[in-house]
Amino acid sequence: MIPYGRQHITAEDIAAVQAVLQSDFLTQGPVVPAFEQQFCALTGARYAVAVNSATSALHLACLALGVKPGSRVWTSPISFVASANCARYCGASVDFVDVEPDSGNLCLASLRQKLEEARLKDALPEVVIAVHLAGLSCDMQQLHHLAAEFDFRIIEDASHAVGAAFLEQPVGSCQYSDITVFSFHPVKIITTAEGGMALTNEPNLARQLQLLRSHGISRDPDEMTEPAHGPWYYQQLQLGYNYRMTDLQAALGLSQSQRLNAIIEKRQQLAARYQQHLVGAALDCPIVPNGSLCSYHLFIVRLHDKTRRKAVFEALRQAGIGVNVHYIPIHTQPYYQQLGFDWGDFPNAEDFYERIISLPLYPELTESEQDYIVATLKALL
Ligand SMILES: *Cc1c(COP(=O)(O)O)cnc(C)c1O
């Protein structure tokens, strides 16, 4: 089976992890800060806080922005469940904003309308989480304008968008957001096996993220409520977690990030070949606006005839092609239905879901495998 996504591990990656295994520190050593520095350099963000998953990073991002019971957080229904669950961990209520039919990203016209209605009811959200589906950034400039007008904070769930750009700026620069989150799960752009990162330009948010990832414990005398008792002394200032990344993971990520440009270029080449060879087929390929660079974590096609999606999907799997669907709308999950959501709530998201298939895309996908995928798909359509 050709998978839809797959990690790419080189001899250098293995050597980097092995070097940590033979060093003094498997965790809380020098490699996590080096990995964080690398991401500040890649994105231009002032602070990077590495953690053990993007889910943890989203949770900490919500906490750092003050999300708590009674808070309102809005996000996209076309995402992995973690984009919404992070707010639920904090006891907040979650709502969704319908998506654009082409990109599956948050629709800013729908968002404006929903914000205007919410303002009349005095029920504006504290935080909006924008998801860059497949590695294509949302229109962050417009979202930033809305945030100023309606007074909410922005988290970018850029789990798919490591190496992507918006208006020629790297995603992760946080130019238009408070915090950006990346995922390093093996199917994503680069991997640490499990891992994630939160980036920000605000020192107070960075400090909150750092404290919360490690039990809320500080060793900084300036943050303590009484003088240190001795060199061993630390204080727990808040209720934090153990969300730390290990140095083994950071070594893998640091090694992988050194070839990020090559990985993105390869993904773009493969995506361009899909676009070129699927011309004329009864489907739509992704559209990338000027100024944006899509990292192509996923290559999502939308079938013209959604009644055939299931049959086409099953036939592709039968032909050894590991297609997938990203995503089942979050609001239709039983957990969210229990909270009052139902089918019909976000029609664009549901229509998008019903016609999409994610085709295999990863750096080691060969051109002949890709030709086989294209030929099989075209024959089926
Ligand atoms: C993968 C993913 C996550 C969660 O990432 P983990 O690192 O597995 O926790 C969150 N949001 C989106 C959009 C994702 O694709």
Side-chain angles (χ1 to χ4, degrees):
M1 181 82 84
I2 303 170
Y4 85 85
R6 192 182 193 284
Q7 71 277 10
H8 177 227
I9 304 293
T10 63
E12 288 80 28
D13 292 343
I14 293 166
V17 174
Q18 199 172 341
V20 173
L21 270 174
Q22 291 165 326
S23 75
D24 290 338
F25 299 102
L26 302 186
T27 190
Q28 295 177 282
V31 192
V32 168
F35 186 44
E36 291 171 340
Q37 276 315 302
Q38 166 80 340
F39 262 83
C40 288
L42 286 170
T43 61
R46 284 179 69 191
Y47 305 97
V49 180
V51 290
N52 59 1
S53 73
T55 304
S56 301
L58 287 165
H59 182 193
L60 296 189
C62 285
L63 290 171
L65 291 174
V67 174
K68 57 184 186 293
S71 301
R72 283 173 292 267
V73 176
W74 293 2
T75 189
S76 167
I78 297 293
S79 185
F80 185 54
V81 290
S83 305
N85 289 348
C86 56
R88 298 293 302 151
Y89 298 153
C90 308
S93 71
V94 170
D95 202 350
F96 301 94
V97 179
D98 212 350
V99 300
E100 288 171 355
D102 290 349
S103 64
N105 277 343
L106 266 188
C107 170
L108 295 186
S110 303
L111 176 59
R112 169 174 280 285
Q113 193 183 349
K114 199 175 170 98
L115 287 165
E116 277 165 1
E117 288 164 14
R119 181 157 56 188
L120 296 177
K121 289 184 270 180
D122 202 16
L124 284 169
E126 279 85 347
V127 173
V128 171
I129 302 176
V131 181
H132 303 325
L133 186 68
L136 179 69
S137 177
C138 296
D139 185 339
M140 292 306 300
Q141 200 175 37
Q142 262 205 63
L143 183 60
H144 186 70
H145 285 313
L146 288 174
E149 186 178 342
F150 291 92
D151 194 26
F152 59 82
R153 314 291 294 268
I154 301 174
I155 298 171
E156 294 176 70
D157 182 347
S159 291
H160 300 180
V162 173
F166 172 70
L167 294 183
E168 322 288 346
Q169 288 291 313
V171 169
S173 70
C174 298
Q175 189 179 350
Y176 300 110
S177 66
D178 296 285
I179 298 175
T180 302
V181 168
F182 288 139
S183 173
F184 306 123
H185 183 276
V187 295
K188 306 282 163 74
I189 305 287
I190 66 164
T191 191
T192 59
E194 296 283 357
M197 192 176 275
L199 297 116
T200 184
N201 291 322
E202 289 178 52
N204 294 340
L205 291 179
R207 186 62 192 137
Q208 276 301 306
L209 294 165
Q210 285 162 354
L211 279 172
L212 290 167
R213 85 171 148 186
S214 195
H215 309 282
I217 282 174
S218 173
R219 293 177 183 279
D220 179 352
D222 291 344
E223 293 177 333
M224 293 182 186
T225 57
E226 57 181 279
H229 302 174
W232 65 86
Y233 194 62
Y234 59 80
Q235 283 191 340
Q236 185 195 341
L237 304 171
Q238 309 178 37
L239 186 61
Y241 301 83
N242 180 352
Y243 282 172
R244 294 187 303 263
M245 177 180 277
T246 67
D247 278 42
L248 291 167
Q249 293 167 306
L252 179 56
L254 183 57
S255 177
Q256 295 233 321
S257 67
Q258 258 127 38
R259 46 177 206 284
L260 180 60
N261 286 343
I263 290 169
I264 298 295
E265 254 170 53
K266 182 74 202 189
R267 285 182 173 274
Q268 300 225 316
Q269 272 169 25
L270 289 166
R273 274 190 101 244
Y274 269 136
Q275 299 263 12
Q276 204 182 331
H277 289 88
L278 286 169
V279 166
L283 53 74
D284 291 306
C285 286
I287 299 162
V288 179
N290 286 342
S292 285
L293 189 149
C294 182
S295 56
Y296 285 110
H297 160 54
L298 302 169
F299 193 87
I300 299 176
V301 295
R302 289 161 283 139
L303 303 196
H304 291 168
D305 180 1
K306 63 184 181 186
T307 65
R308 299 210 46 227
R309 196 270 300 267
K310 187 157 181 270
V312 170
F313 185 98
E314 285 171 346
L316 287 166
R317 281 270 179 103
Q318 234 144 49
I321 300 167
V323 285
N324 218 317
V325 167
H326 299 94
Y327 289 94
I328 305 157
I330 300 174
H331 69 279
T332 70
Q333 295 291 351
Y335 173 77
Y336 284 94
Q337 289 205 18
Q338 276 172 45
L339 295 175
F341 298 98
D342 206 349
W343 287 100
D345 289 349
F346 303 97
N348 288 351
E350 292 166 30
D351 182 74
F352 186 82
Y353 164 61
E354 286 165 1
R355 56 180 78 247
I356 50 174
I357 298 180
S358 300
L359 303 182
L361 183 60
Y362 49 93
E364 287 180 297
L365 183 72
T366 65
E367 292 196 348
S368 65
E369 284 171 330
Q370 201 183 20
D371 292 341
Y372 170 68
I373 295 162
V374 168
T376 310
L377 180 55
K378 277 182 144 170
L380 286 164
L381 291 171

